[in-house]
Amino acid sequence: MTSTLNPYVSFRDNAREAMEFYRGALGGDLTINTFGEYGDPEAPEANLVMHAQLETPSGFTLMGADTPPGMDFKEIGGISISLSGDDETELRGYFEKLSEGGSVTMPLEKQMWGDQFGMLTDPYGVSWMVNIAGGSQG
């Protein structure tokens, strides 16, 4: 097996909602395992997400989990997830869907280097960058 690098996003207690949002925005198959499946099904945290994994048709893998009990939740900061390629329709679609309920921090438009580029923060506080190579319109 080759090595892979995948974003793994931590949430306070809404990983299921966030990962379902990402499935809606990016498509694909989502698997979710809870703390209750691997521990005490009666524990207060039993329904929290221990591990979620989204595998998209475009080959992206996004993982996430709720913060386990007893651990401090750390806000997401200093990192963005970047989507790039040359399929304008696909990438614009991702940008629009990911920004629903969030905020666009830089509109997706033609930049000085010739590509279309934009940035957003989704409703779960995750920053995204989208770059469309050789973008023809802005």
Side-chain angles (χ1 to χ4, degrees):
M1 175 178 177
T2 61
S3 298
T4 61
L5 175 68
N6 303 314
Y8 203 113
V9 184
S10 295
F11 301 92
R12 183 181 312 274
D13 60 6
N14 59 349
R16 179 181 302 275
E17 178 183 317
M19 294 301 292
E20 288 174 355
F21 172 80
Y22 299 137
R23 176 177 51 189
L26 303 171
D29 297 317
L30 176 62
T31 56
I32 296 177
N33 299 103
T34 64
F35 286 102
E37 290 176 62
Y38 295 101
D40 180 1
E42 302 299 320
E45 70 276 1
N47 290 325
L48 292 178
V49 174
M50 182 176 142
H51 175 74
Q53 184 165 323
L54 176 64
E55 298 283 345
T56 75
S58 294
F60 308 142
T61 300
L62 180 64
M63 299 180 197
D66 288 314
T67 303
M71 290 186 70
D72 291 332
F73 173 73
K74 294 183 174 107
E75 294 288 334
I76 300 167
I79 190 166
S80 295
I81 299 175
S82 177
L83 300 173
S84 57
D86 59 8
D87 187 327
E88 182 174 356
T89 301
E90 178 181 63
L91 290 162
R92 277 195 176 278
Y94 296 152
F95 189 88
E96 290 167 11
K97 290 175 185 172
L98 289 166
S99 64
E100 289 175 10
S103 62
V104 173
T105 53
M106 175 184 275
L108 182 57
E109 56 191 21
K110 190 165 186 174
Q111 301 298 320
M112 67 180 99
W113 60 88
D115 293 351
Q116 295 178 66
F117 177 82
M119 300 184 329
L120 65 99
T121 301
D122 72 28
Y124 302 95
V126 177
S127 297
W128 295 81
M129 299 186 300
V130 174
N131 192 86
I132 304 168
S136 59
Q137 314 238 353

